[in-house]
Structures are given as C-alpha cells and as structure tokens.
Amino acid sequence: MKARLSDSSEETITGEITANKIWVYTFVGVMSLARIGCGLFMSLSGPTLLYLADNVNASVADVSAMFTGRSAGFWVGAAICGVVMNRFPKFQQLLTIAIGATLNGIFMVITPWVTNLPGLIVITTLGGVMFGYMDSAMQSMYLQLWGEKRSRPYVQSFHFGFSVGALLAPVVAAPFLQQADSLQSATDSCPSHGTVVVTTPSTGNVTSDDVTGMTTQVPFTGLNPVAWPYIISGSFMLGIGLIMILLALLRMENRIRIEHKESTEERSEEPLRDVIWLFLPICCFYFTVVAMEVVYQTYIYSIALCSQLAFSVVDASNLNVVFWAGFGLGRGAGIFYAAFFDPKTMIIFDLFGTTLALTLMSIFGKYIPLVVWLVTFYQGLCVATFYSSGVSWASRITNMSSTYIFVFATGNTIGQMTMVPVAGALFDSTPYSVIYQLLVLSVLTIVFYIWMEFMGRGHVRKRAMKQSTLNLANSTIDYDSIDTTSMYKTKL
C-alpha cells in the first residue's frame, strides 16, 4: 500500500515538474518571438532609410529626426515601466507587454501610408514608447524570476531574439528593394550636391537647382514595393501581441513566479543617493554602445550604396544581412559564454573587437570592399553582447530589476537621439565620414568602461564598509541596559 502511495506521489511530482517546464519554455519562447518583432521594428529603418526619405520627400538628415523621436519614446516607455513596477508591484506585467506589442504592430503596418515627415516622427515616437516599455518590462521579468546569477543565460537569450529579428529585417526587405530598384534606381535617392538637373513630372520642364543633401527621386504613384516589409513585420508583431494577451489571461506569469520563487531577486533597492554616481558612467557606457550599434546598422546600407564603394542594391542589402548574422552569432554564443565567463571578461572582448574592426574600416574600408564585408561581420559579432553583459555587470553591483531598469534606457536614448542625427548630417556631407564617427564612439566606450569599473569597485567597497560599521554597531554591548544593582547584590 505504501509502495503504491509512493509511486503515486512520484508520478504527481514528475507531472508537476513537466508542466512547470512547459510553462517556462512557453514563456521564454513567446518572449523570444516578441523580441524578434522588436528586432524587425528597430532594424527595418536601416535598409529602407532612403525609401522613407523619399516617401516623406525629405533629405536623409531630416528624416533622421525620426530616430530622435524613437529614442525619446524609448526612454519614456522605459521610465513608465519603472514607475509602474514601483507603484504597482503585483500588476500583470505580461498583459501590458502584450498590449505594447499589439500597438507596435499596428504602428508598423501604417508606416508606409505616412507621407509627411511630422507624421512619420509621431508614429515612430509612439512605436518607441511601446518598444521602450516592452524592453524594460521583459528584461525586468527575467531578473525578477531568476535573480542576477541564474538569469544571465536567459538575458543573453532575450537579446539573441532581438538579433534574429534584426537579421530577418534586411532579408525580408531585400526582394522588395530589388523590385523597387528595377522600377527606379535606388542611387537616385543618394544625397546630391551642387547644381543638379531635375525634371518636373507634371510639366516636363527642366530646371536647374542648387541641392545639398536632397534626394531627387520621383515618388511612386502607387504603393511602393518597399512598403511590404513593414506590413509583413507589423502583422507578425500584431499576431505575437494577441498570443501574449491570451497567455496573460491564463496567468502564465504567476505560475512561473511561484515555481521559481527560490531563485527570484530578493535584494532591496539601494537609495538613489547611494547609486547615482554609479549610474552616471553606466549611462555614458550605454550612450556610446547603443549609438555605435544603431548608427552602424542604420547607415551601412546607405554608405555602401552612396559612397565611392558604389555597392549594388543587392550587395548593400546583403551587407546588412552579414552584420546581423555576426550580431546573431555573437548573441547566440553569449548564451553559452555567460555560463563560463563573467560580464567583465565579455565586455573587454567586445571593446577590443569593435575598436580593432572600426580602425581597419577607417583605414582600408574605403578602398577595399573585402575589408567592408569582413569588418561588418566582425563588428556585429563584437557589439552583440555589449548590452546584455552591461546589464549583468550592473546587476552584480546593485539590484537593477525594478525602478532602476530605466538607467540602461537613459543612456540608450541619449545615444540614439544625438548620434544618429549627427550621422545623418555627416552622411549628407560625405557618406563615408560616418565610419570615422563610429571609431570615435568606440574609443569613448573604452574610456567610459574604465570609469564604470572604477566607480563600481568604489561602490562595492563603500557598501562593504557601511555594512561592517552597521554590524559593529549592532554587536556593541548596551551598558545602559545592564541591571548593575542586581549584579551588585548578587556579588554581596
């Protein structure tokens, strides 16, 4: 009888473990699919940048303002996430993430029908708000569910999902870019300088204009083929959002949280006054890291097409694919490296690789196309684990899983808001000069990381000394509480 009860209990436990694993795998899978959608959202603007400029009849420098709007929206979304988690710790995070994914999909679908620059900036900014909230909320959930140490592989897989979407973006866009180029040359969208001859479509009159940085391509009369990547990607994101809403209604988040309660983040957040000086170099680090990644992936297609390299549309699009292939490989390998190497080691490797790659690109890339291909892959490989390694590094120093999760988004936002428009202005002047900007950013990243390490070690020492002082104070004998009268009587 006891043997039967024992077998029955073992089967019940085994069934529960299997069910728990299914919920965890489902959670990680859905989050990864959502991150793939985020990668599509962020990366489609790279190979389609010239199309977007033509669609709203603006220069590359002007249309780069949408990146500023997207970055500002990203920061707002991340800040909202921090406030919501702090004020409402028991709310359903997954449901709000699902709503954000659904709205982001809608914004992507309607992008091709926006034909004026202010409208494009508004749509991109709203998409940035949704993406910023989703990014911070999903990352926070990983840290809360598994804690700082056990979450490292999960955080790497979280960022790997983004790289898959980013890799798919140029792949999805490539056939439509080729179709658009067959109807009208893509090089007509490159910046023009000096006096150019423009034929007015309505009258056929030939006029001579002084144009600097403006595109001269005549707009499509129907739906541009390049609109389809946005429709496809937006529909994918919309579908994922609806699936996440269903899972949120099934309380999947609560099921996982209960089963992994022993490994969740339990450290209390330190007061802002104690960590503010640590957060400053972290923000600067993410300023350069994210700017370096976004500027490269956004402009490498246009640089290859419009500079003296004179790549074809197919080759320039494949260059984007090569970058994201390296990026995806780096993030995928990071899932396994995180189990053997600490975040510091991974960051140092990335610093060395990106600086070496951009130095070679600055010296030889303008004249040797093979260098462009090799450096693009290596740059994607090395920059891939910067973000996730930085999150793990900061989480080792202090609890970053709740209110302070927006710190990463702050540096991210400032980098995109400032450096991408600067790159647009440089591109309109001389397309290849963007590469020199990237090299400067890589050197600044080294400087900021050294500062970050210095402040991190100082913060740990200061906290240890404070804790030692507190322990010593708690262990001190309270002489006032001793009943000396009774002691005296006992002695007598």
Side-chain angles (χ1 to χ4, degrees):
M1 183 69 177
K2 290 182 178 180
R4 290 180 181 177
L5 289 174
S6 177
D7 293 341
S8 177
S9 61
E10 287 181 4
E11 289 177 1
T12 302
I13 293 172
T14 303
E16 289 178 354
I17 292 174
T18 302
N20 295 336
K21 285 184 177 180
I22 291 174
W23 282 112
V24 171
Y25 293 152
T26 303
F27 173 80
V28 174
V30 170
M31 287 293 185
S32 298
L33 289 174
R35 286 295 289 176
I36 290 173
C38 290
L40 288 166
F41 167 73
M42 290 292 289
S43 304
L44 264 181
S45 54
T48 62
L49 181 63
L50 298 177
Y51 155 74
L52 292 173
D54 289 332
N55 201 41
V56 298
N57 194 27
S59 68
V60 171
D62 290 338
V63 84
S64 294
M66 73 174 185
F67 297 114
T68 302
R70 185 176 70 184
S71 302
F74 181 90
W75 185 87
V76 170
I80 291 173
C81 177
V83 172
V84 169
M85 285 191 295
N86 189 41
R87 295 286 182 89
F88 310 101
K90 295 183 179 181
F91 82 112
Q92 286 290 322
Q93 245 176 294
L94 185 60
L95 182 60
T96 58
I97 293 171
I99 294 171
T102 303
L103 292 175
N104 216 348
I106 294 172
F107 294 144
M108 290 179 70
V109 170
I110 65 177
T111 296
W113 281 272
V114 179
T115 56
N116 60 82
L117 184 58
L120 180 63
I121 293 173
V122 169
I123 287 295
T124 309
T125 301
L126 292 174
V129 173
M130 298 301 106
F131 175 60
Y133 183 90
M134 291 170 59
D135 182 80
S136 296
M138 288 191 288
Q139 203 157 216
S140 175
M141 286 185 69
Y142 277 108
L143 292 173
Q144 288 179 5
L145 289 172
W146 286 285
E148 180 274 321
K149 190 169 184 179
R150 287 190 62 185
S151 68
R152 291 179 192 175
Y154 291 104
V155 171
Q156 294 289 348
S157 68
F158 169 80
H159 289 282
F160 175 70
F162 179 90
S163 67
V164 173
L167 173 62
L168 290 175
V171 173
V172 171
F176 300 104
L177 289 169
Q178 293 178 45
Q179 184 180 350
D181 184 56
S182 66
L183 299 174
Q184 203 160 26
S185 177
T187 55
D188 291 344
S189 299
C190 291
S192 302
H193 307 278
T195 301
V196 296
V197 176
V198 183
T199 302
T200 306
S202 59
T203 63
N205 294 330
V206 179
T207 59
S208 180
D209 295 309
D210 186 27
V211 180
T212 302
M214 294 296 295
T215 61
T216 59
Q217 183 172 343
V218 178
F220 282 84
T221 55
L223 183 65
N224 192 306
V226 185
W228 282 104
Y230 286 91
I231 298 172
I232 294 170
S233 302
S235 300
F236 172 80
M237 194 68 166
L238 185 60
I240 295 301
L242 296 176
I243 293 173
M244 293 176 74
I245 290 175
L246 175 62
L247 293 174
L249 295 176
L250 294 175
R251 303 286 181 177
M252 180 176 71
E253 178 186 348
N254 291 344
R255 298 172 188 269
I256 298 173
R257 194 182 300 276
I258 291 171
E259 297 304 327
H260 292 270
K261 193 173 182 179
E262 73 282 354
S263 62
T264 57
E265 178 63 82
E266 296 180 349
R267 293 177 296 172
S268 59
E269 287 187 341
E270 298 182 67
L272 182 60
R273 65 177 181 274
D274 293 343
V275 293
I276 185 66
W277 297 110
L278 171 66
F279 289 165
L280 186 59
I282 292 175
C283 284
C284 292
F285 176 78
Y286 275 89
F287 166 88
T288 52
V289 163
V290 174
M292 190 162 46
E293 173 194 327
V294 173
V295 168
Y296 198 98
Q297 62 95 355
T298 299
Y299 284 96
I300 189 60
Y301 171 88
S302 302
I303 291 170
L305 194 67
C306 300
S307 71
Q308 52 267 61
L309 289 168
F311 277 36
S312 66
V313 169
V314 175
D315 287 342
S317 182
N318 287 337
L319 203 58
N320 263 120
V321 175
V322 167
F323 174 82
W324 289 117
F327 192 88
L329 179 61
R331 290 241 164 129
I335 299 173
F336 303 100
Y337 292 159
F340 301 100
F341 300 103
D342 62 9
K344 175 183 175 180
T345 302
M346 297 179 69
I347 291 174
I348 291 174
F349 169 80
D350 294 337
L351 289 171
F352 174 79
T354 54
T355 306
L356 175 63
L358 291 171
T359 300
L360 293 173
M361 186 79 157
S362 299
I363 298 173
F364 304 108
K366 188 185 294 186
Y367 311 105
I368 307 175
L370 179 61
V371 171
V372 178
W373 289 100
L374 295 176
V375 166
T376 297
F377 177 82
Y378 192 60
Q379 174 70 5
L381 180 71
C382 294
V383 81
T385 52
F386 262 135
Y387 201 107
S388 51
S389 298
V391 172
S392 297
W393 182 93
S395 296
R396 291 180 66 185
I397 306 296
T398 187
N399 181 8
M400 304 290 294
S401 66
S402 185
T403 308
Y404 298 145
I405 196 72
F406 80 93
V407 171
F408 308 113
T410 300
N412 180 337
T413 298
I414 297 172
Q416 292 191 60
M417 286 181 67
T418 56
M419 292 296 102
V420 176
V422 168
L426 291 172
F427 179 84
D428 275 343
S429 174
T430 308
Y432 202 81
S433 60
V434 176
I435 300 299
Y436 307 131
Q437 177 197 8
L438 288 164
L439 179 60
V440 172
L441 287 172
S442 70
V443 174
L444 287 175
T445 304
I446 296 174
V447 175
F448 291 147
Y449 175 68
I450 294 172
W451 182 21
M452 194 167 74
E453 275 286 342
F454 176 78
M455 295 303 294
R457 293 182 182 183
H459 180 77
V460 171
R461 285 196 301 268
K462 184 177 178 180
R463 186 174 58 199
M465 291 175 61
K466 185 177 179 180
Q467 187 63 41
S468 298
T469 303
L470 183 62
N471 293 338
L472 183 62
N474 291 336
S475 63
T476 302
I477 300 175
D478 187 1
Y479 291 100
D480 294 334
S481 65
I482 300 177
D483 188 353
T484 55
T485 303
S486 61
M487 290 176 63
Y488 179 71
K489 289 180 179 177
T490 303
K491 186 176 181 181
L492 290 176

